[in-house]
Amino acid sequence: MSGSHKDEDRPAPRQLGDYLLMEQIAEDDDSRTYRARQISVDRAVILVLIKSRLEPSGETAERFLADVRAKAAIEHAGIGSVYEAVHEGADLYWTRELLPGTPFSQLHIEGRQFAPVPIVRFLRQVGGAMAHLWEREIATLP
């Protein structure tokens, strides 16, 4: 017998263009965010899929592309780079760099606790990234 029962029960990853959607990691009113793999270059990425189904020249598509262009213009070590935006048929999605590290949700599940010094370092990095955006008058979500 090849593979485990766990592998047999797992649905095959969905493919969207050059990407295999591996795991949904977030969802809000407008989008679903996935951990994905870009097939052509074999790299892990974050893929954000816009939920609305669109007309090819719709206003939502224009706003979407303008928003991704603004994200792509940001260059900061603590902010993941945008790789591409795709408007393919009725699908709109963009991909970005998957930064290394363990997600906060996983750290919480593991019950990990941190000493004050690493927390201060982390807050300094986040503060530096936010200051970078503020100084350049780049709007952000709260």
Side-chain angles (χ1 to χ4, degrees):
M1 174 194 248
S2 65
S4 68
H5 288 293
K6 183 178 179 183
D7 291 338
E8 293 169 8
D9 293 339
R10 183 180 306 144
R14 175 179 166 208
Q15 185 168 344
L16 188 59
D18 190 27
Y19 300 92
L20 288 177
L21 306 183
M22 307 305 288
E23 168 190 15
Q24 183 175 325
I25 56 175
E27 182 171 9
D28 61 28
D29 291 340
D30 301 320
S31 65
R32 288 187 185 96
T33 302
Y34 296 89
R35 188 168 282 121
R37 176 145 303 278
Q38 187 173 10
I39 300 164
S40 61
V41 292
D42 193 29
R43 71 174 161 195
V45 301
I46 295 295
L47 183 144
V48 181
L49 175 65
I50 306 305
K51 287 182 181 179
S52 20
R53 306 302 280 185
L54 306 169
E55 296 297 320
S57 62
E59 182 182 316
T60 304
E62 291 172 21
R63 283 194 328 264
F64 163 77
L65 292 172
D67 181 59
V68 175
R69 281 186 201 104
K71 287 175 172 64
I74 299 168
E75 294 182 21
H76 187 276
I79 300 172
S81 299
V82 171
Y83 289 141
E84 71 176 327
V86 178
H87 184 189
E88 188 174 88
D91 289 324
L92 273 177
Y93 56 93
W94 65 283
T95 60
R96 65 179 168 86
E97 178 181 10
L98 175 61
L99 296 172
T102 306
F104 284 122
S105 57
Q106 184 62 37
L107 295 173
H108 177 70
I109 289 168
E110 293 171 2
R112 298 246 336 247
Q113 295 184 1
F114 294 89
V117 171
I119 291 172
V120 169
R121 286 185 187 135
F122 169 74
L123 292 174
R124 183 175 181 196
Q125 288 177 333
V126 170
M130 296 308 297
H132 177 82
L133 298 173
W134 184 78
E135 289 164 359
R136 286 155 184 77
E137 298 181 350
I138 299 171
T140 62
L141 293 173

